[in-house]
Amino acid sequence: MFITKAELADARRALLAAPPRNRRPADAIDFKIRPISEDWRLVHRMPSYKTATCNAAYIWRDSNVDDRFGPMPAAFAERRCELRGAGLLLPANAPLWATEGYRIWQDADEAAFATGDPTAVSAWHVMAQIPESVSPSHWHWMFRGFLERELSSKGAAVAWAIHALEGTGGEWLVSPHGHAIVTARRWKTGVRKGERHPAWIASSEQQRRLGVAWRRRCTTTRLMAQAGFRWSTLPILS
């Protein structure tokens, strides 16, 4: 069953009621999933941008693309110093055209717009904290492997990026975190292209399980570090 408008309203209320970052326990792993649609709004919190194209450009720090509302802000590219890795994850049987620029995300936006419903979801924006105990050399291992196992292996297309910025004194000016834009609609060519897909974090329960899976991966990673594993010697596996 897909997430309903009532559940979206509940999610808004839950996010507004959530404690701010500076009141969360120090060991709490931040994980959020926000729907991408023209109608998504949050009071006093940053919403997702209106289109999947814009959200993908934002996480990739790319200002050289337009969506139907116009060009991307120049500020996207100005923050490229925060980008520590980015890419597109596709299932093994993906067609070649899927790698062409922003085509998957533009198609998703067109399908959502064609419904005539401004609340129609084109994609999902996932944001995941990366524990500072994890070596930067294994951020890709941790985040990409998670996305491959949980999403792209099930047929979803996923634009991903890791953002972080370290100060001269070793402090984090931008704490390590990952972003993923995940298709909410069937994206392969065919009669069902553009329809909502029921298995790509389409329900509240699926989204809850994804958050649990990320926090479990973070816990496992932390225990491995405490046990004395050296990240520089671990294989880069998903």
Side-chain angles (χ1 to χ4, degrees):
M1 179 180 293
F2 294 128
I3 289 179
T4 65
K5 291 182 181 181
E7 287 178 312
L8 284 177
D10 289 342
R12 292 186 178 100
R13 287 191 289 271
L15 282 170
L16 292 173
R21 290 176 184 269
N22 60 5
R23 289 172 55 193
R24 291 181 182 140
D27 59 349
I29 301 298
D30 196 16
F31 187 89
K32 296 185 180 73
I33 301 175
R34 291 174 177 163
I36 299 172
S37 75
E38 293 183 25
D39 192 52
W40 177 248
R41 294 288 186 276
L42 282 176
V43 180
H44 304 310
R45 288 177 183 265
M46 181 68 71
S48 293
Y49 292 100
K50 291 182 177 181
T51 66
T53 301
C54 187
N55 278 266
Y58 168 76
I59 71 168
W60 285 342
R61 297 300 193 241
D62 181 12
S63 298
N64 296 318
V65 65
D66 294 1
D67 63 11
R68 72 184 194 85
F69 295 100
M72 298 300 105
F76 285 6
E78 291 169 359
R79 296 178 61 186
R80 194 165 291 167
C81 59
E82 300 171 4
L83 193 62
R84 301 296 291 268
L88 177 66
L89 296 176
L90 298 168
N93 61 351
L96 288 177
W97 64 258
T99 63
E100 297 174 1
Y102 289 81
R103 181 170 170 182
I104 287 177
W105 314 111
Q106 291 165 339
D107 287 355
D109 291 332
E110 291 175 5
F113 179 67
T115 68
D117 180 0
T119 68
V121 175
S122 60
W124 302 98
H125 190 148
V126 177
M127 292 158 282
Q129 177 186 354
I130 298 175
E132 295 179 10
S133 59
V134 179
S135 166
S137 64
H138 276 75
W139 288 347
H140 289 196
W141 169 84
M142 185 177 187
F143 193 54
R144 278 193 56 179
F146 169 76
L147 297 174
E148 288 171 352
R149 186 181 66 247
E150 301 293 337
L151 295 166
S152 64
S153 66
K154 299 175 182 177
V158 183
W160 67 274
I162 294 173
H163 297 165
L165 184 64
E166 192 172 6
T168 56
E171 76 283 6
W172 290 109
L173 303 179
V174 176
S175 296
H177 63 280
H179 290 266
I181 310 304
V182 183
T183 45
R185 298 179 175 274
R186 298 179 188 273
W187 54 271
K188 291 183 180 179
T189 303
V191 296
R192 302 188 69 183
K193 182 177 180 179
E195 294 181 2
R196 286 288 303 278
H197 195 290
W200 300 338
I201 51 177
S203 70
S204 297
E205 177 59 21
Q206 290 175 16
Q207 295 187 5
R208 185 196 67 80
R209 289 200 301 264
L210 191 67
V212 169
W214 175 249
R215 293 182 176 101
R216 184 184 302 118
R217 190 168 180 89
C218 291
T219 298
T220 300
T221 301
R222 183 174 66 251
L223 292 175
M224 291 172 69
Q226 292 174 351
F229 284 92
R230 295 178 57 191
W231 292 109
S232 60
T233 62
L234 286 175
I236 308 297
L237 298 175
S238 60

